[in-house]
Amino acid sequence: MNGSKHDRTGGRAEPVTVRFAFTPAAAYVRAARLVAADVAAHAGVATGLLDEVRQAVGEACTRAVLRHRDRGMDDLVRVEFSIGDRFVAKITDNAQDLRARSSGRIGAGIGGGEPRVGDSDTMEEDTLSEEITLIVLSGLVEDLVVTGPDANGGTTVSMSWPLPGSGSATDH
């Protein structure tokens, strides 16, 4: 298959990876979406899926930005695109789970002890917003995995799309 127009990875055995990070601000989500679409197109993702890639990466990055903002964090949002058998996008935030933090299970001693009045309403709104985003993502992306938060806090949204020659029945 070397040399065919569908062999966009050049026959490399090792996956190609593009990594970057951005300040958790809505203004940078657009840049992440554009980079995602460009890398996906270069990888050979079907033209009909590029809008899906762009929108899904935008939703995942927006979720990460909001998680950072709602927790008062300036840590960078990390983005990774891998080109191997599939095109994989991973968006990672560093925001701890507010419910776990306020109950003392994760990050004990962070946040000043007892939850403030109204914190439970804010936590419910944050949880609902994150759940809605994940529902939207699950409707956009067939292969979606969300991991975390772990003891260090943060979550990773992993999504992938097929590439030509990856064994799909629709490859030519």
Side-chain angles (χ1 to χ4, degrees), residues 27-52:
Y28 302 116
V29 171
R30 182 172 189 270
R33 291 176 61 191
L34 293 172
V35 172
D38 189 54
V39 174
H42 178 74
V45 171
T47 304
L49 294 176
L50 293 178
D51 282 339
E52 178 182 300

Side-chain angles (χ1 to χ4, degrees), residues 62-115:
T62 297
R63 175 183 177 272
V65 166
L66 291 174
R67 284 177 55 84
H68 281 225
R69 184 205 66 198
D70 291 346
R71 289 149 180 90
M73 299 178 69
D74 290 330
D75 293 13
L76 299 176
V77 172
R78 295 181 315 276
V79 180
E80 178 180 299
F81 303 122
S82 299
I83 305 166
D85 292 337
R86 296 177 64 85
F87 174 73
V88 178
K90 293 182 181 181
I91 291 77
T92 303
D93 64 69
N94 294 317
Q96 293 181 342
D97 188 335
L98 282 177
R99 290 167 294 177
R101 186 178 84 190
S102 65
S103 70
R105 290 181 307 199
I106 297 176
I110 300 173
E114 293 299 312

